[in-house]
């Protein structure tokens, strides 16, 4: 489902890494933000700055442990800023 978040809003995300005997640990990354107050923390909590001017953000969870195929991205979520 689409994710919408207002300026000043907070949303916590989670990601599951597929595969057997792999770590569920992920590193969170944020793309598209224009405000330095818009951040994502190590627990997957996105905070949209009250001054954010971007209309969309991309939240990316990357698996810390690479799988045998070399894949790293566990999840990509597009967030519409309202």
């Amino acid at each position: 489902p689409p994710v919408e978040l207002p300026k000043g809003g907070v949303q916590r995300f989670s990601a599951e890494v597929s595969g057997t005997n792999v770590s569920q640990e992920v590193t969170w990354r944020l793309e598209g933000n224009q405000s330095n107050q818009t951040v994502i923390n190590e627990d997957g909590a996105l905070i949209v700055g009250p001054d954010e001017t971007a209309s969309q953000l991309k939240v990316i969870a990357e698996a810390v442990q690479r799988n045998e195929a070399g894949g790293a991205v566990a999840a990509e979520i597009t967030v519409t800023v309202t």
Side-chain angles (χ1 to χ4, degrees), residues 40-75:
I40 192 159
N41 69 19
E42 62 188 22
D43 295 322
L46 171 64
I47 302 162
V48 179
D51 61 342
E52 183 59 66
T53 58
S55 59
Q56 287 195 324
L57 306 170
K58 186 180 289 187
V59 173
I60 301 165
E62 293 182 323
V64 171
Q65 179 182 352
R66 310 261 177 175
N67 65 27
E68 49 286 337
V73 175

Side-chain angles (χ1 to χ4, degrees), residues 15 17 22-27 62-65 74:
V17 180
V22 294
S23 169
Q24 291 298 308
E25 188 177 355
V26 296
T27 300
E62 293 182 323
V64 171
Q65 179 182 352

